[in-house]
Each structure stands twice: as C-alpha cells, then as structure tokens.
Amino acid sequence: MSKTQTPEDLRPVPGRFGIGMNVLVQLVIGLVIFGGLNYLGFRYYWRWDLSPSKDHTLSESTLNFLRKLSKDIQITVALPRDAESYPDTRALVEEYKRNGKKRIRVEFIDPARDYERAEQLKVSAGIPLSKSGILLQGVGRTRFVPEDEILLKIKSSSTDQKAVFYRGEDAVTSAIIGLLEGAARKFYLVAGKGSRSAESAVEDLQGLRDIGRQQNFEVEPLNLTEITAVPADASGIIIAGARYDLTERELGMFRSYWAAKRAALLVMLDPSVETPRLAGFLTSFGVRPRGDRVLFAEVTSTGVRKQFEVEGVFSKETIITQSLADSTITLAGQSESLD
C-alpha cells in the first residue's frame, strides 16, 4: 500500500545552501532597516525640555539672534566638574552649539584637572582666568563671564537662606553681543527729578552699571538742567519714576532726540504722582497712561483684600511682545496700565 502524494509532498525541500541564503538576506534587510532608522534618527529628531521652568530651552530672542549669527564664536567652559553650575552650564552651551548654524564651537575644561590646557588658554586669551567661568572668543575679541555672574545667590532679608538664580543664557548671549558689537553703548539715567533719595539713586546707578557690564552698555547720570541737548553718543535715555514733571525746555530736548534715526527711551512712571507734560509726550506717540492701578483683589471673611504686587504674562497677539510670550514678570509696588 502506498500513500497518495499531495502537492505539498512534491515541493522540494531547501538544502543547507538555500537556508543559509535566506538567513543572509534577512540579516542584510535587518541591517539596512536598522541603519536607515539610525540615520533618520540622527538627522531628524525632536527634543523636549521636561524641566518645570524650561531651564534648558533658549528664549525666542536668543534663537533669533543665533539664526542671524554670521561670525564664528568659540565658547570655552572653564568650570570644575563638581561646580554647582556645571550641569546647567553644560546643557546650556550645548543648546547654543546645536542652534548656532555651525558658527559656535564649544570646549569644556576642568581648570583643576586640565592644568596645561588652562595655562594655554590664559596665554592665548590674554586673561588671568583667576576665576572659573565661561570664556568667549570671536572676531578678535574676548569676553569672560565669571561663575558668580552666572549663578546669582541673593540672601533673603527675612531669613538666612539664599535664593539661587541661574542666568547663564543672559550672560552668554550678552557676551556674544559684546563680542560682535565691540564698543559698549551708552545710556543716560535722568537725575534730579525727585524720584529717589541721593543714596538710593547711587544704588540704582550702580545696579544698572552691573547689568550693563553683561549687556555691553554703560550708564551715566544726566542732569537735564545742565545741558541744552541730549548727548550725541546716547544710545538711550532712562526716566525712572520722576516725581517732578518735565519742563517745556526739557520736552523740546526729548522731542528733538526722538526725531533722530537711532533713539530709545525707557520710561518708568510713578503712578502716585501726576506728570501731565510727560504723560502728554507719551500720549502723542500712542502710549497713554490710564491713571489706574493694576492689582489683584479677592473677597475674604474680613473684607476685600487688595494686592498690588501681581504677576503678568506677555501677550502672543502683539508683535511687540511675541518674543517674550513664554516669559512672566512681577509688577512690584503700584503700577498703572497703559492704552
């Protein structure tokens, strides 16, 4: 008796060579797929900053600046690896490199371990490097940002604890701007309008000068009674909380200055006083002080509670503040709104 053969029984059985070729083809296909996915992942990828305050995401203004960067910049992070600011600084400068259109080169050295490289850097940069920090070089200029200007520690007046603020992005972007611009811009702070006491005015001026060192500008006091025109080298004028109104002569100086091609005014109003000439000057250019108060109010069991220190956000709908849309600001003291 013989079993009837089916078509499956008549199909030839592959030999060792055929099996080996099948395995080889599958292996090649697998390698091609793996290599292709790896290539696509390297060239096209997305990054997410999952930190609560977006500490590792560059602001839109910095990104716009990097997109227009046309000069090569060398950033050297000279920080010990156990430094408090090292992790944040490393992540920050890597973001500059990634968004810098190959214009930004980054190097990390530990001054304690890479002693020879640190000495070479001192000679080539022409600076002592007595502190740890970030060294920036480009267009024949050098800027050094010490670590204590990257990581600010401010002691609370009510407790012995210190609040720590990381401002690496501000410091690095400002240093790059300083490299490219060269000479520092000059701003003038209007003095003699009763906004602050003599001691407080000195502190305000010093505070602005400290900021200016990082933003590549200088600040000098300006007494309007001693001049007949705004200085020609003024990149901007600051009027901070004037309690006495401007005179017609002073208004004339500001109108002439504002008519210039490169003029800038920073005006901080004191809502507790009336300055009709200054308000009229602002209104003539489309900014009208409303004379009200910005506040937060809520009804409690003891009555209505008002809080003048409020937190504000920047609108995405206005072109003026679009670049600041992801930022917030605290309005301290009493503020008034504007039309």
Side-chain angles (χ1 to χ4, degrees):
M1 296 290 294
S2 62
K3 182 181 177 181
T4 303
Q5 293 182 331
T6 63
E8 287 76 10
D9 297 329
L10 297 176
R11 184 176 299 165
V13 178
R16 292 183 177 179
F17 178 77
I19 295 175
M21 287 299 296
N22 287 336
V23 172
L24 180 61
V25 170
Q26 292 175 13
L27 181 61
V28 171
I29 293 175
L31 289 175
V32 169
I33 294 175
F34 177 78
L37 292 175
N38 191 45
Y39 173 79
L40 292 175
F42 178 76
R43 294 294 301 272
Y44 308 98
Y45 57 90
W46 291 266
R47 294 165 62 98
W48 290 274
D49 184 359
L50 301 180
S51 60
S53 57
K54 303 297 181 183
D55 292 331
H56 304 298
T57 300
L58 297 179
S59 65
E60 191 61 31
S61 58
T62 295
L63 292 175
N64 288 335
F65 173 72
L66 292 176
R67 294 185 190 110
K68 301 175 183 177
L69 194 62
S70 60
K71 304 293 183 180
D72 293 336
I73 303 295
Q74 171 71 39
I75 301 178
T76 303
V77 179
L79 287 172
R81 296 177 186 176
D82 58 353
E84 185 177 358
S85 63
Y86 182 83
D88 289 333
T89 301
R90 185 179 184 92
L92 176 72
V93 298
E94 290 290 355
E95 283 296 296
Y96 276 88
K97 180 181 179 181
R98 189 174 70 87
N99 292 281
K101 301 188 307 180
K102 298 182 179 180
R103 288 288 185 181
I104 292 183
R105 300 186 301 273
V106 174
E107 180 184 7
F108 298 90
I109 67 169
D110 186 336
R113 300 180 182 182
D114 306 328
Y115 181 76
E116 292 185 2
R117 178 65 185 123
E119 290 299 316
Q120 293 174 358
L121 201 60
K122 291 179 183 180
V123 175
S124 63
I127 58 177
L129 279 182
S130 57
K131 294 183 178 180
S132 299
I134 303 176
L135 176 68
L136 299 101
Q137 297 170 287
V139 294
R141 304 188 184 98
T142 300
R143 291 286 188 278
F144 182 71
V145 183
E147 184 183 14
D148 55 9
E149 294 185 12
I150 300 171
L151 203 65
L152 298 182
K153 298 182 179 181
I154 302 176
K155 188 175 181 179
S156 174
S157 57
S158 57
T159 66
D160 293 333
Q161 296 181 346
K162 289 184 178 180
V164 179
F165 301 94
Y166 183 78
R167 55 180 304 274
E169 181 181 347
D170 291 340
V172 172
T173 299
S174 300
I176 295 176
I177 293 173
L179 286 177
L180 301 180
E181 292 184 350
R185 294 164 293 170
K186 182 172 287 188
F187 289 82
Y188 287 92
L189 175 64
V190 173
K193 283 297 177 180
S195 58
R196 305 279 277 169
S197 64
E199 295 78 10
S200 298
V202 172
E203 293 178 0
D204 294 344
L205 182 60
Q206 185 58 47
L208 287 171
R209 283 173 171 170
D210 291 341
I211 297 174
R213 282 198 296 269
Q214 295 305 314
Q215 301 286 344
N216 197 42
F217 66 83
E218 300 173 350
V219 182
E220 297 295 337
L222 181 66
N223 193 326
L224 299 180
T225 62
E226 299 175 354
I227 61 173
T228 58
V230 172
D233 61 351
S235 296
I237 303 295
I238 304 171
I239 305 175
R243 300 187 65 83
Y244 305 132
D245 203 4
L246 299 178
T247 66
E248 289 296 339
R249 185 184 70 85
E250 293 166 347
L251 277 178
M253 288 192 295
F254 282 124
R255 289 194 181 97
S256 299
Y257 169 70
W258 189 250
K261 185 177 181 180
R262 302 279 294 183
L265 284 170
L266 172 61
V267 181
M268 291 177 280
L269 298 173
D270 184 345
S272 64
V273 299
E274 293 186 3
T275 51
R277 292 192 185 91
L278 179 56
F281 174 75
L282 297 175
T283 303
S284 66
F285 295 104
V287 181
R288 183 176 67 86
R290 298 178 63 180
D292 55 11
R293 295 294 183 274
V294 178
L295 55 84
F296 170 80
E298 64 176 347
V299 179
T300 66
S301 58
T302 59
V304 179
R305 184 180 70 88
K306 298 179 181 179
Q307 179 177 319
F308 290 100
E309 183 171 311
V310 297
E311 186 176 89
V313 296
F314 293 93
S315 172
K316 294 182 179 180
E317 308 300 326
T318 304
I319 190 172
I320 300 172
T321 56
Q322 280 178 352
S323 62
L324 301 171
D326 294 329
S327 304
T328 60
I329 186 172
T330 298
L331 303 178
Q334 295 194 20
S335 305
E336 64 179 308
S337 59
L338 305 172
D339 273 337

